Amino acid sequence: MTTGNIQLLSDTLAKAKADNRAALIAYLPAGFPTVDGGIAAIKAVFDGGADVVEVGLPHSDPVLDGPVIQTADDIALRGGVKIADVMRTVKEAHAATGKPVLVMTYWNPIDRYGIERFTEELAAAGGAGCILPDLPVQESAVWREHADKHGLATVFVVAPSSKDERLATITAAGSGFVYAASLMGVTGTRESVGESAADLVRRTRATSDLPVCVGLGVSNATQAKEVAGFADGVIVGSAFVQRLLDADGDEAAGLAAVRELAAELAEGVRRAS
């Protein structure tokens, strides 16, 4: 039986903590701008200094994703991206870098594909786990059983609206890390990440020893530094996707842009006070 890379993910986050900094976690959708282009973009982001990458499984009705990621998903879906392409993206990105690669997906595609098949293939590809923003914890037992069997992390999302009791339930069921959504709403760049994120991290940590990584709204080194001051990891997605969209089909320019942004953000998370 193939075993996934949850341990690599845990070790990577622990090493960042030992280095007295936050981990930089980047998000990019599979199949955008093409399957090969997406793989190249992930390699460029790792090259720039990302510690972990989340590969988005493009979905036609994304509840958490804002307009930038929706635009990229639409391009990927029109290009015919399939789950097999997502698995190939994970496999090639991990094989080329030795770094932890997760899949971020809504529940419906996994449910239709089959939990056993999905977890087995993700583990075989060298994946570290899944971030599942819309899977209710109370309905996650079968998924978690298969994920555990295959050495995959199950990362749940908590939000500022989550009550303390609910946080404890979510963190007890999760593994790898906890994804703390910094604000109510969808992904995208924001002027400020704000105090609600720091409060959410503090409340989440009171319930669990898992690393707490903050996403939604972080787009530049200044914000990365701010979040790195209170979180174990800084998650950036829309800003990377926007760089690729801005390159407008010029692959070399797009790769250079995401590599540069990763380097800036990596410096930001290392300046944590």
Side-chain angles (χ1 to χ4, degrees), residues 32 68 189 237-247:
F32 168 72
V68 172
T189 60
S238 298
F240 283 113
V241 175
Q242 188 65 57
R243 295 281 177 111
L244 290 174
L245 288 169
D246 290 346

Short mmCIF file of all heavy atoms in Angstrom, two decimals, residues 32 68 189 237-247:
data_model
loop_
_atom_site.label_atom_id
_atom_site.label_comp_id
_atom_site.label_asym_id
_atom_site.label_seq_id
_atom_site.Cartn_x
_atom_site.Cartn_y
_atom_site.Cartn_z
N PHE A 32 -3.91 25.24 -14.73
CA PHE A 32 -3.89 26.67 -15.05
C PHE A 32 -2.46 27.18 -15.13
O PHE A 32 -1.69 26.97 -14.20
CB PHE A 32 -4.65 27.47 -13.98
CG PHE A 32 -4.45 28.95 -14.08
CD1 PHE A 32 -5.03 29.68 -15.11
CD2 PHE A 32 -3.64 29.61 -13.16
CE1 PHE A 32 -4.82 31.05 -15.20
CE2 PHE A 32 -3.42 30.98 -13.27
CZ PHE A 32 -4.01 31.69 -14.29
N VAL A 68 -10.61 35.99 -8.59
CA VAL A 68 -9.32 35.69 -9.25
C VAL A 68 -9.15 34.19 -9.44
O VAL A 68 -8.85 33.71 -10.54
CB VAL A 68 -8.14 36.27 -8.42
CG1 VAL A 68 -6.80 35.79 -8.97
CG2 VAL A 68 -8.19 37.79 -8.43
N THR A 189 -7.28 39.33 -2.45
CA THR A 189 -6.33 40.18 -1.72
C THR A 189 -7.10 41.22 -0.92
O THR A 189 -8.15 41.69 -1.34
CB THR A 189 -5.35 40.85 -2.69
OG1 THR A 189 -6.10 41.65 -3.60
CG2 THR A 189 -4.55 39.82 -3.46
N GLY A 237 -2.71 32.62 -2.07
CA GLY A 237 -3.22 32.00 -3.30
C GLY A 237 -3.49 33.00 -4.40
O GLY A 237 -2.83 33.02 -5.43
N SER A 238 -4.48 33.87 -4.16
CA SER A 238 -4.94 34.78 -5.23
C SER A 238 -3.81 35.64 -5.80
O SER A 238 -3.79 35.91 -7.01
CB SER A 238 -6.05 35.69 -4.70
OG SER A 238 -7.17 34.94 -4.31
N ALA A 239 -2.89 36.05 -4.95
CA ALA A 239 -1.80 36.91 -5.44
C ALA A 239 -0.93 36.18 -6.46
O ALA A 239 -0.48 36.77 -7.45
CB ALA A 239 -0.94 37.40 -4.27
N PHE A 240 -0.69 34.86 -6.23
CA PHE A 240 0.08 34.07 -7.21
C PHE A 240 -0.72 33.91 -8.51
O PHE A 240 -0.18 34.06 -9.61
CB PHE A 240 0.41 32.68 -6.65
CG PHE A 240 1.54 32.69 -5.66
CD1 PHE A 240 1.31 32.39 -4.32
CD2 PHE A 240 2.83 32.99 -6.06
CE1 PHE A 240 2.35 32.39 -3.40
CE2 PHE A 240 3.89 32.99 -5.14
CZ PHE A 240 3.64 32.70 -3.81
N VAL A 241 -2.00 33.60 -8.37
CA VAL A 241 -2.85 33.40 -9.55
C VAL A 241 -2.92 34.69 -10.36
O VAL A 241 -2.84 34.66 -11.60
CB VAL A 241 -4.25 32.93 -9.11
CG1 VAL A 241 -5.18 32.83 -10.32
CG2 VAL A 241 -4.16 31.57 -8.41
N GLN A 242 -3.04 35.82 -9.66
CA GLN A 242 -3.11 37.11 -10.36
C GLN A 242 -1.85 37.38 -11.18
O GLN A 242 -1.92 37.90 -12.29
CB GLN A 242 -3.33 38.25 -9.35
CG GLN A 242 -3.61 39.60 -10.00
CD GLN A 242 -4.92 39.62 -10.78
OE1 GLN A 242 -5.97 39.34 -10.21
NE2 GLN A 242 -4.84 39.91 -12.07
N ARG A 243 -0.70 37.00 -10.64
CA ARG A 243 0.57 37.20 -11.39
C ARG A 243 0.54 36.41 -12.70
O ARG A 243 1.01 36.88 -13.74
CB ARG A 243 1.77 36.75 -10.56
CG ARG A 243 2.03 37.59 -9.29
CD ARG A 243 2.74 38.90 -9.61
NE ARG A 243 2.92 39.73 -8.42
CZ ARG A 243 4.08 40.00 -7.84
NH1 ARG A 243 5.20 39.48 -8.33
NH2 ARG A 243 4.15 40.78 -6.79
N LEU A 244 0.00 35.19 -12.64
CA LEU A 244 -0.08 34.37 -13.86
C LEU A 244 -1.10 34.95 -14.83
O LEU A 244 -0.87 34.97 -16.04
CB LEU A 244 -0.44 32.93 -13.51
CG LEU A 244 0.63 32.12 -12.78
CD1 LEU A 244 0.09 30.76 -12.38
CD2 LEU A 244 1.89 31.94 -13.64
N LEU A 245 -2.22 35.44 -14.31
CA LEU A 245 -3.23 36.07 -15.18
C LEU A 245 -2.64 37.32 -15.86
O LEU A 245 -2.86 37.55 -17.05
CB LEU A 245 -4.47 36.45 -14.38
CG LEU A 245 -5.37 35.29 -13.92
CD1 LEU A 245 -6.41 35.79 -12.92
CD2 LEU A 245 -6.07 34.63 -15.12
N ASP A 246 -1.90 38.10 -15.08
CA ASP A 246 -1.31 39.33 -15.61
C ASP A 246 -0.28 39.05 -16.71
O ASP A 246 -0.05 39.90 -17.58
CB ASP A 246 -0.62 40.14 -14.49
CG ASP A 246 -1.62 40.75 -13.53
OD1 ASP A 246 -2.83 40.79 -13.85
OD2 ASP A 246 -1.21 41.18 -12.43
N ALA A 247 0.34 37.87 -16.65
CA ALA A 247 1.34 37.52 -17.67
C ALA A 247 0.69 37.28 -19.03
O ALA A 247 1.37 37.27 -20.07
CB ALA A 247 2.13 36.30 -17.24
#
